[in-house]
Amino acid sequence: MWTGVFPAVTTKFTTDDRLDHAEMERCFGLQMEAGCDGIIVCGSLGEGPMLSPDEKIEVLKTAQKVAGKKPVLLTVNEAGTREAASIARRAAKEGADGLMVVPSPIYHTNAEETVAALRAVAEAGDLPVMIYSNRLAYRVDVTVDQMEELASDKRFVAIKESSDDIRRSTEIINRLGNRYDLFTGVDNLAFEALSVGAIGWVAGLVTAFPRETVAIYQLMKQGRREEALAIYRWFRPLLDLDVSTYLVQNIKLAEVFAINTNDRVRMPRQPLSGERRKAVEKIVKDALAVRPALPQF
């Protein structure tokens, strides 16, 4: 069902902390123009836990305006299953193409609870679901055993694999074949994951560098591995910014220099400052200074 590059887009705010729909439309449009294949809103990078349910639906609608016929997924990352089911129903009512579902980021569910919660959200929304497995960030591992248990429900269609263990991708394919659309969710493991069978990339730095991200994916799809690897090696210092407690601030600062936007975030986050800001600025500026020419694909 799903394949290609799906940006986990950032949420844009005005100076008085309201949603900046005009700027989101512009930034989301850059993703579509570069050839991205869908949009995922209100995830970790989109500061979803800092948004009200109404704001999440507003961001979803803005993305839908821009995406056209390409799929738009809403991230479900509520603390409680009741609230997760509620936002899933609202997303369905508003025409979302699917959900990316995170097990509760507050209560760390055991295996039985994880499966039950995912099933409840899928049933409530009755939409295609991408299971987001990220044991490092959320301390809940949706294991291959659990994926197999959920496979009988056709609403579960994809996996965002973010365990930080490249072996997991092969384990999923060996156990489940092509039952799930396998996406990598770790920017600085993307080349490796695409090399071993992932068919999609839920990307972060794509919001600042959409054309480079799409180029890597398309070149890998065409078997032009060496050309993709050359771009990936240039990209790696930037991609490392995704794997950080400060990923939101890091990537929004990269957007400042790459797509001429702002790095406003919602409290308790604050924009990077001091030495940390200088370090990220240097990474971004150094990369921009030697930005590669992209091949045709």
Side-chain angles (χ1 to χ4, degrees):
M1 175 178 287
W2 295 325
T3 186
V5 176
F6 280 45
V9 291
T10 57
T11 301
K12 291 300 178 184
F13 301 105
T14 63
T15 55
D16 60 351
D17 199 36
R18 298 177 183 273
L19 295 178
D20 189 342
H21 291 285
E23 185 61 1
M24 281 189 279
E25 283 190 34
R26 186 184 75 85
C27 293
F28 298 172
L30 295 175
Q31 305 299 302
M32 296 296 97
E33 290 169 13
C36 292
D37 300 283
I39 295 178
I40 299 178
V41 299
C42 306
S44 303
L45 184 54
E47 298 174 75
M50 310 303 172
L51 303 176
S52 71
D54 287 345
E55 287 178 319
K56 288 187 175 187
I57 297 301
E58 289 180 40
V59 175
L60 170 68
K61 290 179 178 179
T62 295
Q64 290 171 324
K65 287 174 60 178
V66 176
K69 294 183 179 180
K70 293 182 179 180
V72 179
L73 280 60
L74 177 71
T75 306
V76 176
N77 48 16
E78 277 63 26
T81 302
R82 179 186 63 176
E83 291 75 17
S86 176
I87 196 69
R89 283 189 288 268
R90 290 187 66 180
K93 184 178 179 180
E94 296 298 339
D97 297 289
L99 307 170
M100 184 171 76
V101 183
V102 182
S104 171
I106 302 299
Y107 175 72
H108 306 130
T109 51
N110 64 29
E112 182 180 357
E113 292 168 332
T114 300
V115 169
L118 289 169
R119 286 191 190 280
V121 175
E123 183 176 351
D126 197 26
L127 289 170
V129 171
M130 178 183 290
I131 301 168
Y132 183 10
S133 179
N134 188 334
R135 63 190 180 190
L136 296 184
Y138 300 114
R139 290 185 279 179
V140 173
D141 188 9
V142 184
T143 65
V144 181
D145 285 344
Q146 292 166 39
M147 295 174 195
E148 186 171 28
E149 187 174 352
L150 292 166
S152 60
D153 187 333
K154 293 182 179 179
R155 287 173 290 209
F156 294 105
V157 301
I159 305 292
K160 179 184 176 183
E161 210 303 285
S162 299
S163 69
D164 203 39
D165 182 352
I166 193 60
R167 293 170 293 191
R168 176 67 66 85
S169 295
T170 297
E171 290 165 5
I172 293 169
I173 294 169
N174 282 351
R175 177 84 69 88
L176 297 164
N178 63 357
R179 165 60 186 83
Y180 292 106
D181 298 333
L182 180 60
F183 281 66
T184 179
V186 181
D187 268 3
N188 62 5
L189 280 177
F191 180 87
E192 292 83 351
L194 293 169
S195 296
V196 298
I199 63 171
W201 180 358
V202 178
L205 267 297
V206 66
T207 65
F209 295 92
R211 296 191 181 280
E212 288 83 357
T213 307
V214 170
I216 291 169
Y217 178 83
Q218 291 294 337
L219 290 167
M220 289 295 287
K221 185 178 178 181
Q222 294 176 19
R224 296 161 64 180
R225 181 181 181 280
E226 293 304 317
E227 293 173 89
L229 184 56
I231 301 168
Y232 185 69
R233 286 173 173 162
W234 163 84
F235 212 176
R236 256 300 299 274
L238 292 161
L239 297 176
D240 290 347
L241 298 175
D242 180 57
V243 187
S244 167
T245 303
Y246 297 96
L247 81 158
V248 176
Q249 295 97 318
N250 289 346
I251 292 174
K252 281 194 166 182
L253 184 56
E255 290 179 325
V256 168
F257 296 103
I259 62 171
N260 193 32
T261 186
N262 64 76
D263 64 340
R264 289 190 283 270
V265 290
R266 178 160 282 179
M267 291 181 69
R269 285 189 179 91
Q270 295 185 9
L272 296 181
S273 60
E275 292 303 313
R276 181 172 283 115
R277 187 179 187 91
K278 290 179 183 177
V280 174
E281 283 190 9
K282 184 177 188 307
I283 290 169
V284 177
K285 290 178 179 178
D286 285 353
L288 286 170
V290 291
R291 198 170 191 172
L294 300 179
Q296 296 295 315
F297 50 85

